[in-house]
Amino acid sequence: MTMLQEELETTENVNPYQTVQTQIETAAAILGLERDIVEILKRPKRVLCVNFSVKMDDGSVRVFEGFRSQHNDAIGPTKGGIRFHPDVNMDEVKALSMWMTFKCGVVNLPYGGGKGGVICDPHTLSKGELERVSRGFMEAIADIVGPEKDIPAPDVYTTPQIMGWMMDTFSRIKGSFSPGVITGKPLIVGGSKGRNEATARGCVFTIAEALKDAGKQLQNATVAIQGFGNAGRIAATLLAAQGCKIVAVSDSKGALYNPQGLDLAQVTQLKDTTGIMNYDARYHLQNPQDILELDVDILIPAALENVITRKNADKIKARIVAEAANGPTTPEADKVLFQKGILVIPDILANAGGVTVSYFEWVQNLMNYYWSEEEVNQKLRDVMVHSYRAVHDLAAEYKTDFRTAAYMISLKRVTEAMKARGWV
Ligand code: NAD
């Protein structure tokens, strides 16, 4: 850990860009990677910052700032989601694009990493304003994205509908139907069956493998989930269907905890209507952050980054932390969890199901031939189990944590591609 990293970790604001650079250095040192390769990989190849204006419902004009970062395209076009959130910033988007390169590497997809974000709070926008922000951002980045350049997808607070608007804007600019420019689209305009559930489903496959290794099974395992959106909510549903007991969930409004198990159907129904905090008040967690410290078999951070830090790492009691979110654990916290014997299934493996089925969607778009949901799920399972086993075996061989092993697999692939193309 660098001095700067140490300093950053003492504050609440750990910079994810510093985090990913530390993660690269750690794995590169074990692999003995050449310095010039590490220097290339420690920063994105291109970052675009755009300011675009949108006409609001009241007739005023508002300027929105957005970013698109393309980290490395040695293996193929860059790929990664677009986030709409008030706290989006350039360093976060850069870090997220770098995690995407390594995520695609772990599951062996022919992509490099990209990511985008727009500083906005979608909850305060009308549907029309949201559509105009989505179209405005796509117009602003249209020059650098495309089915063979950079392929966005959904992320925090962006939806299939938003992907549909963005695909339409890009197709209009190009003058031809271009479904392969973006994934996570509605099914009717080239989406893939199984994409909506893919991140959570992939995460569940890795959890099942981890439990199997520990001689346990999903049945009756207790689960706490921070974040109740695409990743967290669907993970809860899939795990409950396989016999897990969902004891705690949280969203941006608060957290619920019942050691006997929550009524998931009710929580889900409340999420769609008045909000999860209208659940029986006896089960409200006073401090929502405490959800991370509950005594459970499985903890799934499925919201934002930097939630497990040196401040709370020693209080984590879960046996398995499955990172559905990107970057929830800082490097310093990683060390503490490893020492405590807690298995962290790292983000670049645990949530790689999303980009894997995004890849399937893109392949289907390019060949204009669509697969059944069973076929998608089976292919996803093969990828996730195979990747999990590879990370597990390498971690055992090097007596290291899963994150470092996952980075090692990815770094090897990206390095090989850069060498094959004569970049180094
Ligand atoms: P989403 O917008 O569908 O859901 C986000 C959830 O987090 C919401 O329930 C929101 O209320 C909750 N949240 C926000 N702030 C919170 C806080 N402070 N405490 C607790 N909950 C909070 O987003 P998503 O797609 O589910 O993404 C969640 C995470 O998963 C992100 O880190 C994202 O990068 C990652 N991820 C998503 C995908 C995907 O396909 N959607 C793929 C890979 C990784």
Side-chain angles (χ1 to χ4, degrees):
M1 170 179 270
T2 63
M3 284 288 286
L4 180 58
Q5 185 77 36
E6 190 115 27
E7 229 168 73
L8 286 165
E9 286 228 357
T10 59
T11 72
E12 286 293 319
N13 304 316
V14 181
N15 182 334
Y17 188 43
Q18 297 278 338
T19 297
V20 65
Q21 290 188 328
T22 304
Q23 290 163 344
I24 292 170
E25 291 279 7
T26 306
I30 300 178
L31 285 173
L33 278 192
E34 297 92 320
R35 198 66 230 162
D36 47 4
I37 293 174
V38 178
E39 289 307 319
I40 293 175
L41 290 171
K42 275 178 69 181
R43 35 190 79 72
K45 192 167 174 179
R46 169 153 63 177
V47 187
L48 180 67
C49 169
V50 297
N51 291 288
F52 57 99
S53 56
V54 171
K55 210 164 250 172
M56 308 303 281
D57 289 349
D58 64 4
S60 66
V61 171
R62 221 174 107 188
V63 178
F64 289 84
E65 187 175 13
F67 312 95
R68 184 76 193 166
S69 171
Q70 299 170 342
H71 173 235
N72 183 291
D73 57 358
I75 292 182
T78 48
K79 178 101 192 72
I82 293 173
R83 176 174 290 196
F84 283 3
H85 195 276
D87 299 335
V88 163
N89 60 69
M90 196 186 274
D91 271 1
E92 178 186 61
V93 172
K94 278 155 72 174
L96 288 162
S97 75
M98 293 161 77
W99 279 318
M100 284 307 298
T101 299
F102 301 111
K103 191 179 302 181
C104 293
V106 177
V107 287
N108 203 14
L109 304 181
Y111 290 137
K115 201 80 178 193
V118 176
I119 304 172
C120 69
D121 182 356
H123 301 113
T124 62
L125 301 174
S126 70
K127 190 172 179 208
E129 289 168 341
L130 187 62
E131 176 174 351
R132 294 193 289 281
V133 169
S134 306
R135 290 184 182 279
F137 182 59
M138 175 48 92
E139 211 180 319
I141 63 168
D143 278 349
I144 65 159
V145 297
E148 279 154 7
K149 286 189 199 171
D150 180 16
I151 306 129
D155 193 72
V156 175
Y157 296 157
T158 52
T159 59
Q161 172 64 82
I162 291 174
M163 300 303 111
W165 290 326
M166 289 187 174
M167 183 277 283
D168 182 68
T169 298
F170 185 84
S171 297
R172 287 185 197 197
I173 291 169
K174 297 296 165 191
S176 59
F177 183 55
S178 305
V181 67
I182 206 160
T183 58
K185 302 178 292 292
L187 281 183
I188 191 72
V189 286
S192 174
K193 294 199 169 118
R195 173 61 185 90
N196 200 39
E197 300 80 15
T199 303
R201 193 181 295 282
C203 188
V204 171
F205 286 140
T206 65
I207 292 169
E209 287 300 301
L211 285 172
K212 206 163 67 185
D213 286 341
K216 294 181 182 156
Q217 48 187 354
L218 286 167
Q219 190 71 31
N220 292 327
T222 52
V223 186
I225 305 179
Q226 182 191 49
F228 207 63
N230 176 277
R233 170 178 173 155
I234 299 176
T237 308
L238 293 174
L239 286 166
Q242 297 201 49
C244 288
K245 204 197 279 181
I246 311 300
V247 296
V249 302
S250 71
D251 72 2
S252 59
K253 305 286 184 323
L256 305 171
Y257 174 50
N258 180 353
Q260 305 311 316
L262 295 166
D263 178 345
L264 195 61
Q266 200 193 347
V267 178
T268 307
Q269 191 254 333
L270 287 170
K271 178 73 187 172
D272 289 333
T273 51
T274 54
I276 68 165
M277 295 319 283
N278 284 308
Y279 196 81
D280 190 334
R282 282 176 300 164
Y283 303 117
H284 289 192
L285 255 184
Q286 210 67 2
N287 176 5
Q289 293 309 315
D290 289 349
I291 192 167
L292 300 163
E293 298 168 18
L294 297 174
D295 186 3
V296 289
D297 295 312
I298 302 154
L299 170 65
I300 307 182
L304 297 169
E305 52 267 22
N306 295 338
V307 292
I308 304 178
T309 67
R310 62 192 287 169
K311 285 186 177 167
N312 61 359
D314 63 334
K315 299 190 201 117
I316 306 290
K317 297 177 201 71
R319 264 63 77 194
I320 296 170
V321 176
E323 296 183 335
N326 285 306
T329 312
T330 65
E332 188 67 356
D334 251 339
K335 283 187 203 154
V336 177
L337 298 183
F338 188 57
Q339 276 156 13
K340 283 173 63 127
I342 295 174
L343 175 67
V344 177
I345 309 175
D347 47 8
I348 60 172
L349 173 64
N351 71 36
V355 71
T356 301
V357 176
S358 271
Y359 166 62
F360 296 160
E361 179 174 333
W362 178 77
V363 168
Q364 293 171 81
N365 293 153
L366 297 190
M367 58 181 186
N368 231 327
Y369 175 74
Y370 290 84
W371 305 337
S372 69
E373 190 163 353
E374 292 71 38
E375 197 171 350
V376 169
N377 289 344
Q378 185 55 45
K379 284 182 159 71
L380 172 64
R381 188 179 183 285
D382 291 348
V383 169
M384 296 306 299
V385 172
H386 180 84
S387 306
Y388 180 93
R389 301 283 19 133
V391 171
H392 169 277
D393 293 352
L394 198 69
E397 186 185 334
Y398 281 82
K399 297 190 174 36
T400 188
D401 58 282
F402 273 35
R403 191 184 316 282
T404 305
Y407 269 88
M408 287 164 70
I409 289 172
S410 264
L411 280 169
K412 269 197 217 163
R413 289 201 172 118
V414 181
T415 301
E416 204 180 318
M418 293 202 298
K419 285 186 173 165
R421 293 182 66 164
W423 292 6
V424 283

